Amino acid sequence: MKQIIIRLAAPALLAGLPAAAAAQATPPAPLEQRPIRFPQFAESQLPNGLRLLVVENHALPIANLNLYVRSGSSADPADKLGLAQMTAAVLDKGTATRTAVQISETVEGVGGTMGAGVDQDNITVSVGVLSDQLPLAFELLSDVVLHPTFPQQEMETSRAQQLAALRAALGAPATLALRMFDQQVYGDAHPYGRRSTPQSVGALTREDLVAFHRAHFVPGNALLVVSGDVTPAQAQEMARRWLGGWSGAASSRTALPTPPARERAEIYFVHRPNSVQSSLYVGHMGIQPDDPDYYAVQVLNMVLGLSGDSRLEEVLRAAHGWTYSARSRFTRLVGGGTFSASSDVRSAVTDSALAELMVQLRRIRDEPVPQAELERAKNFLVASFPASVETPAQAAGLLATTRLLGLPAEHLTQYAQRVGAVTAADVQRVAREYLQPERAVLVVVGDGTQVLEKIRPIAPVRVFDVEGRPLDPATLQPAGG
């Protein structure tokens, strides 16, 4: 109420001011837009095939190393799901010359950080230090990447942690929705559609980790990114010293299967008894990394659901009060990403919110985006871009992503200019091409006894339990029922 009063009172206050004073209260014209300068970077390749990317910035005495191995969870064999994640988790927990404690104490002793992580396409090993400790950072990175021993006890600790996380995921509606969404969009045969289970993680052996490391941790399958207070010459000299002896040829990549074609929209309902809200995911396959329509798709997504000012947020949250947040996104993966719109809503409005998501997908295809809305979306994307490359680590991360997707650096360095060139006709064209609500996967996670019958008019429904097993809707009961 206070906000409304202030907005109504402001014009009255200005009306009582002299004309000169009122004119002074008018906001000044915006400054002329300054060109966006992407940080300088250098690229090279070592004789053993390791690619090196350096982003130089001497503003702070900090340096970061990020080694990307282009084999993430999608490289897991179908009968060993969770292998890449386990390999990453245990990689820095012991080498031929250092224990896990010694590695940790060495890094922390110089005020640094070290860790490893995994996504669908890559395993990443990272070290961050003060720049005068850069030689030590290279030494540690080399040690854990080239000489890990995968101690059995450390593996068991990691296994226990991953099993606990998988059990916790069964209680997280949004996680259940995303798992079901990926499974249905990509299909069971596609690596992006598979997820580890307690059974698959429990069956992994130390020998599996050793074999995965031997097959995938080779220089031709890696990208080393160095950023911060370092010159390209320094980075190259240290890379040659610590990683120049790394050897091994990358194995040929297996072609990914084609995701299943869909003839109609279907609802995949995950019954989670006694849920007081429902998690929604609506979408389908998106675009390839090198799609020339990427920039128009970015603007489309900004208009639809990328931020709090986008349509999904305005309609589902501001207009109807059904949710705290509603978003859309296009993912970018080597093997092809997805489009999705998602939200968490109260159980009582599940059917209304799901139907409205479909309405908004059709609306942006069928109606040209008004020019003012288009300009607002483009201005937001362009104005926020500098913040995404504000630090050397941020710029290096975006450059690494671009390179790992097989794209030229210009794809990133010309981002602002290409977004600025997108027209309303471009947005409607890509909306018609890349949004397919009539063939979408609609995932709903919630209490079937409360919402299942209400959503049946929207699309045909298939029902599953929280572990992804088919359920007979006639057997649904609330917890304790």
Side-chain angles (χ1 to χ4, degrees):
M1 182 61 72
K2 183 181 296 184
Q3 187 179 26
I4 295 174
I5 292 172
I6 291 173
R7 287 180 177 175
L8 292 177
L13 290 172
L14 288 175
L17 291 174
Q24 290 177 358
T26 302
L31 297 174
E32 182 179 353
Q33 182 175 327
R34 292 180 296 179
I36 298 172
R37 292 183 174 85
F38 196 85
Q40 289 188 333
F41 60 93
E43 295 182 271
S44 59
Q45 183 168 314
L46 270 61
N48 62 0
L50 175 64
R51 292 184 296 162
L52 177 63
L53 174 62
V54 183
V55 178
E56 182 179 3
N57 186 309
H58 301 285
L60 294 172
I62 296 173
N64 296 282
L65 305 181
N66 290 279
L67 182 79
Y68 298 87
V69 175
R70 298 170 58 227
S71 299
S73 59
S74 61
D76 288 346
D79 60 345
K80 297 185 185 298
L81 300 180
L83 179 55
Q85 182 178 1
M86 183 72 76
T87 302
V90 190
L91 190 70
D92 62 348
K93 298 300 186 292
T95 70
T97 58
R98 292 181 173 95
T99 65
V101 171
Q102 289 172 328
I103 293 171
S104 178
E105 288 179 344
T106 301
V107 173
E108 293 176 5
V110 296
T113 60
M114 186 172 193
V118 64
D119 60 25
Q120 287 153 302
D121 287 331
N122 307 287
I123 290 178
T124 308
V125 188
S126 304
V127 187
V129 294
L130 295 173
S131 53
D132 62 355
Q133 298 296 326
L134 193 57
L136 177 61
F138 267 95
E139 180 186 349
L140 289 173
L141 180 73
S142 171
D143 199 17
V144 301
V145 169
L146 274 61
H147 310 297
T149 54
F150 302 111
Q152 187 68 45
Q153 185 56 49
E154 297 292 346
M155 180 178 174
E156 295 307 323
T157 299
S158 179
R159 193 198 311 271
Q161 293 169 343
Q162 292 187 35
L163 291 174
L166 288 171
R167 288 191 293 269
L170 296 179
T175 301
L176 292 173
L178 179 57
R179 288 170 67 100
M180 178 61 73
F181 178 79
D182 284 344
Q183 179 184 348
Q184 298 302 331
V185 171
Y186 285 110
D188 292 335
H190 199 293
Y192 292 165
R194 299 193 293 249
R195 292 291 186 275
S196 61
T197 66
Q199 293 74 25
S200 68
V201 171
L204 295 175
T205 67
R206 179 183 175 277
E207 288 69 28
D208 292 330
L209 272 63
V210 171
F212 185 94
H213 177 267
R214 183 185 306 114
H216 297 281
F217 278 68
V218 294
N221 195 40
L223 169 67
L224 175 62
V225 181
V226 185
S227 61
D229 186 20
V230 58
T231 67
Q234 288 175 315
Q236 174 121 182
E237 188 276 325
M238 293 185 195
R240 286 177 176 271
R241 177 182 177 187
W242 296 107
L243 297 167
W246 191 10
S247 62
S251 57
S252 59
R253 291 179 174 270
T254 303
L256 296 176
T258 302
R262 310 194 66 83
E263 299 298 327
R264 62 178 184 174
E266 289 186 278
I267 297 174
Y268 297 84
F269 187 88
V270 179
H271 177 51
R272 185 172 179 269
N274 287 354
S275 287
V276 297
Q277 66 179 25
S278 300
S279 288
L280 312 178
Y281 254 86
V282 175
H284 42 68
M285 287 299 297
I287 63 175
Q288 295 296 318
D290 59 351
D291 196 309
D293 285 328
Y294 169 73
Y295 305 96
V297 166
Q298 285 288 93
V299 179
L300 160 67
N301 195 40
M302 182 66 217
V303 172
L304 181 63
L306 183 62
S307 79
D309 291 330
S310 300
R311 290 181 178 182
L312 294 182
E313 191 87 352
E314 290 179 353
V315 174
L316 271 69
R317 182 181 67 83
H320 293 292
W322 291 336
T323 182
Y324 286 110
S325 179
R327 292 288 190 270
S328 65
R329 68 170 183 161
F330 284 83
T331 62
R332 303 189 78 190
L333 298 171
V334 170
T338 60
F339 161 76
S340 64
S342 61
S343 187
D344 295 309
V345 302
R346 292 177 287 116
S347 295
V349 300
T350 300
D351 55 330
S352 300
L354 186 60
E356 186 60 43
L357 278 177
M358 301 293 280
V359 167
Q360 293 303 319
L361 297 185
R362 289 189 284 266
R363 174 191 169 200
I364 201 168
R365 292 196 318 175
D366 299 340
E367 302 174 9
V369 175
Q371 192 65 29
E373 191 176 14
L374 174 72
E375 293 303 325
R376 186 167 68 246
K378 293 185 349 181
N379 288 342
F380 181 93
L381 291 171
V382 172
S384 60
F385 182 75
S388 68
V389 293
E390 190 172 13
T391 69
Q394 288 175 311
L398 286 178
L399 276 167
T401 298
T402 300
R403 281 309 201 201
L404 291 167
L405 290 172
L407 301 171
E410 292 75 20
H411 184 84
L412 180 62
T413 59
Q414 296 179 9
Y415 176 86
Q417 299 94 308
R418 296 182 182 184
V419 166
V422 173
T423 66
D426 293 330
V427 172
Q428 189 172 30
R429 175 181 59 79
V430 297
R432 289 173 174 171
E433 183 169 353
Y434 300 110
L435 298 184
Q436 302 169 0
E438 67 279 356
R439 291 190 290 274
V441 168
L442 291 74
V443 176
V444 181
V445 178
D447 187 340
T449 63
Q450 298 184 49
V451 304
L452 184 55
E453 294 307 314
K454 294 181 179 179
I455 64 175
R456 287 190 183 279
I458 298 174
V461 182
R462 298 167 66 181
V463 183
F464 302 83
D465 66 13
V466 294
E467 295 185 5
R469 297 172 297 203
L471 276 180
D472 180 355
T475 67
L476 299 189
Q477 293 289 333

